[in-house]
Amino acid sequence: MTVRVRFAPSPTGYLHIGSARTALFNYLFAKHCGGKYLLRIEDTDRERSTPEAVAAIFSSLDWLGIKADAEPLFQFEQASRHAEVANALLKNGKAYYCYCSPEELQTMREEAAQNKLPPKYNGMWRDRDPSTAPAGIKPVIRFKSPQEGALTINDQVQGPVTVQNIQLDDMVLLRADGTPTYMLSVVVDDHDMGITHIIRGDDHLTNAFRQHHIYTAMEWNVPTFAHIPLIHGSDGAKLSKRHGATSADVYRDLGFLPEAMKNYLLRLGWAHGDDEMINESQAIEWFSLEGIGRSPARFDMIKLQNLNGHYIRLADDQRLLGLIKPQVENQIGRTLMPCDESKIFQGMGGLKDRAKTLVELSESAIIYIQPLPHDEKALAMLTPENVEHLKKLLPKLAACEYTHDALEATLRAAADQFNVKLGQLAAPLRVAITGRSVSPSLFEVMSILGKEESIKRVKGITKS
Ligand code: GLU
């Protein structure tokens, strides 16, 4: 059997990171098994589905590199096929017309509420002769859900889960206007797409029982189910906007690398021993449904940032330059010239050592274009005494060769001469050069900036 899985988002908003993880699990499972990963846009809710949401989903999946093995399928376009299946069920006695009026349904709901029971259709048209149908009412088609016995689903994550069939009422398959319901569309599409495994959030577990019965009624193979626990926030509640960003797109804008995000999402709810850093080929090699945990994982921003820092250090410098360029240009208010890019590129090793996000990286890269605005700690270094030292240092900096070692030697000699510790001289110099009290190696920064620019920056302090 060739594994075929799908990710089936409803395009009613951005791609939630929980959904991104579902997509990732499906993708990795397909790749691990040598199968196919497909994408289906569940756009049957015409009021809530928007082209902008479809575009946002595509763009987030694209960013994460979760690429489908075929063109996406749009569920709404399959509506006539869904109606065909509803009619087939009607024909073989597995479904029936229901002529209930909205008032009758309302009464049923009220009765259930009075008896403290969940709302449930009472099956009033299940065995009734359609010739008794009231005139002028367009019927819906309801599924004749088995009422006896129990159904057990051997979920690959949750284990065996049993529901008494009596709990499942006769759901609507086709509305009076001929449009299919979500429950029917999902089953028909999964069957037609040849889906073998359904991996999705455990908020869909209860749907699986209803869907299972539709498969059986159509005498179709039932796919294997794997319902993964949702992601929770640090307080243990379901991850929501209140915990911070939940949109995959926002994480791109916050400066996370897609490979870090994928690694983090993978580890969120799936484990391979104690491995934390897992690259894509390892993930494909190791991924299994058995590795998915049963309890909800907690989203931890600090862990994600640390992981992102690791991936930034591993990333190619030229690629990083390309990624931060728009942000740097935005901050300095002009386009980067080749000589600017070259300086940032040369300094990338030192810059990326400290950055946890691309936003931090782009902010610190600006030191190669202009000093950063002083923060409080930096200002505190610029005492009159320190500024005096910088003044005396200027002729030495003018006579020095701009290599790391020569700069260091010059500074050491000057510190001896001024009778101060090296740090006492280097700290205000760092502020003059970078604007900050913390930066990549000062001598590296100065050797990349060169003599003219370095002296100009020191003069910017000593003259003011
Ligand atoms: N469209 C559903 C959702 O976005 C997923 C349905 C499914 O995976 O079966 O929650």
Side-chain angles (χ1 to χ4, degrees), residues 25 32 46 80 89 103 146 160 168 237 253 280 311 326 346 380 394 404:
F25 282 8
H32 175 83
R46 302 311 284 166
S80 59
L89 287 164
E103 294 74 29
L168 309 172
D253 299 343
E280 176 146 340
Y311 277 98
Q346 289 176 65
L394 271 170
H404 181 287

Side-chain angles (χ1 to χ4, degrees), residues 6 8-10 42 182 186 200 204:
R6 56 33 168 208
S10 305
E42 300 207 317
Y182 163 74
V186 170
R200 62 185 173 191
H204 286 284

Side-chain angles (χ1 to χ4, degrees), residues 57-220:
I57 291 169
F58 286 164
S59 117
S60 291
L61 291 172
D62 216 39
W63 172 59
L64 288 166
I66 302 177
K67 200 172 157 4
D69 292 310
E71 287 302 308
L73 182 122
F74 287 82
Q75 190 159 59
F76 183 67
E77 289 172 9
Q78 316 301 317
S80 59
R81 165 71 180 144
H82 304 154
E84 183 185 305
V85 172
N87 284 302
L89 287 164
L90 193 66
K91 218 163 151 200
N92 64 18
K94 303 286 171 63
Y96 60 92
Y97 284 124
C98 164
Y99 294 86
C100 271
S101 65
E103 294 74 29
E104 284 170 318
L105 291 172
Q106 184 58 26
T107 311
M108 271 178 227
R109 273 193 289 270
E110 281 164 11
E111 276 173 15
Q114 268 167 20
N115 297 324
K116 296 204 165 40
L117 292 169
K120 189 169 179 265
Y121 173 71
N122 68 9
M124 66 184 279
W125 281 92
R126 187 177 166 108
D127 298 310
R128 204 151 137 185
D129 183 351
S131 67
T132 65
I137 288 203
K138 273 198 166 178
V140 299
I141 296 181
R142 283 189 186 269
F143 184 60
K144 209 178 243 183
S145 199
Q147 292 298 292
E148 269 130 46
L151 173 61
T152 299
I153 287 180
N154 279 313
D155 192 274
Q156 297 297 292
V157 176
Q158 311 286 335
V161 189
T162 301
V163 159
Q164 300 301 319
N165 287 331
I166 191 81
Q167 290 174 5
L168 309 172
D169 65 359
D170 291 348
M171 66 191 140
V172 176
L173 298 174
L174 209 63
R175 298 186 191 93
D177 64 2
T179 58
T181 57
Y182 163 74
M183 209 64 86
L184 174 68
S185 305
V186 170
V187 173
V188 176
D189 288 347
D190 281 336
H191 168 75
D192 289 357
M193 290 165 81
I195 299 304
T196 58
H197 295 71
I198 294 182
I199 307 167
R200 62 185 173 191
D202 67 7
D203 48 338
H204 286 284
L205 180 61
T206 50
N207 292 340
F209 293 90
R210 294 175 179 281
Q211 293 167 359
H212 193 294
H213 283 313
I214 302 179
Y215 281 102
T216 316
M218 286 302 291
E219 296 178 14
W220 289 342

Side-chain angles (χ1 to χ4, degrees), residues 203-423:
D203 48 338
H204 286 284
L205 180 61
T206 50
N207 292 340
F209 293 90
R210 294 175 179 281
Q211 293 167 359
H212 193 294
H213 283 313
I214 302 179
Y215 281 102
T216 316
M218 286 302 291
E219 296 178 14
W220 289 342
N221 283 336
V222 184
T224 301
F225 290 101
H227 287 94
I228 52 185
L230 302 181
I231 300 176
H232 284 189
S234 48
D235 57 358
K238 192 179 142 191
L239 190 70
S240 69
K241 279 195 179 144
R242 168 169 81 74
H243 296 104
T246 52
S247 147
D249 261 0
V250 172
Y251 285 86
R252 175 179 50 195
D253 299 343
L254 288 172
F256 290 92
L257 287 173
E259 60 268 38
M261 199 67 202
K262 269 200 289 195
N263 188 154
Y264 183 69
L265 289 176
L266 170 64
R267 284 288 293 105
L268 207 53
W270 178 88
H272 181 266
D274 290 331
D275 290 313
E276 288 290 347
M277 294 274 293
I278 302 173
N279 65 30
E280 176 146 340
S281 56
Q282 290 166 323
I284 290 173
E285 193 186 328
W286 296 336
F287 190 80
S288 70
L289 298 178
E290 293 83 59
I292 301 176
R294 275 196 204 184
S295 44
R298 289 191 184 199
F299 193 84
D300 182 341
M301 191 65 168
I302 305 290
K303 260 195 180 171
L304 171 60
Q305 283 172 343
N306 288 336
L307 200 59
N308 200 47
H310 282 297
Y311 277 98
I312 287 180
R313 285 193 283 287
L314 288 180
D316 174 72
D317 291 351
Q318 197 64 48
R319 173 181 168 219
L320 290 174
L321 178 61
L323 288 171
I324 63 171
K325 193 175 158 180
Q327 237 163 332
V328 173
E329 291 183 336
N330 194 22
Q331 283 172 63
I332 62 171
R334 65 166 173 87
T335 47
L336 288 177
M337 289 181 291
C339 62
D340 301 319
E341 288 192 24
S342 152
K343 284 181 193 159
I344 297 176
F345 179 73
Q346 289 176 65
M348 194 60 90
L351 291 170
K352 71 183 189 182
D353 257 357
R354 343 182 94 72
K356 292 215 165 108
T357 65
L358 295 176
V359 173
E360 285 179 17
L361 188 68
S362 61
E363 276 165 7
S364 59
I366 291 176
I367 60 170
Y368 286 107
I369 315 297
Q370 62 200 33
L372 293 167
H374 295 139
D375 57 16
E376 245 177 68
K377 275 192 177 166
L379 278 175
M381 301 286 174
L382 299 178
T383 59
E385 188 194 1
N386 283 345
V387 173
E388 206 44 46
H389 286 149
L390 289 181
K391 259 188 206 156
K392 285 199 283 174
L393 188 63
L394 271 170
K396 299 180 193 299
L397 291 178
C400 171
E401 213 190 309
Y402 273 63
T403 63
H404 181 287
D405 293 352
L407 283 160
E408 185 176 351
T410 303
L411 217 66
R412 278 189 191 286
D416 278 350
Q417 194 190 334
F418 305 162
N419 211 11
V420 293
K421 290 209 175 100
L422 178 64

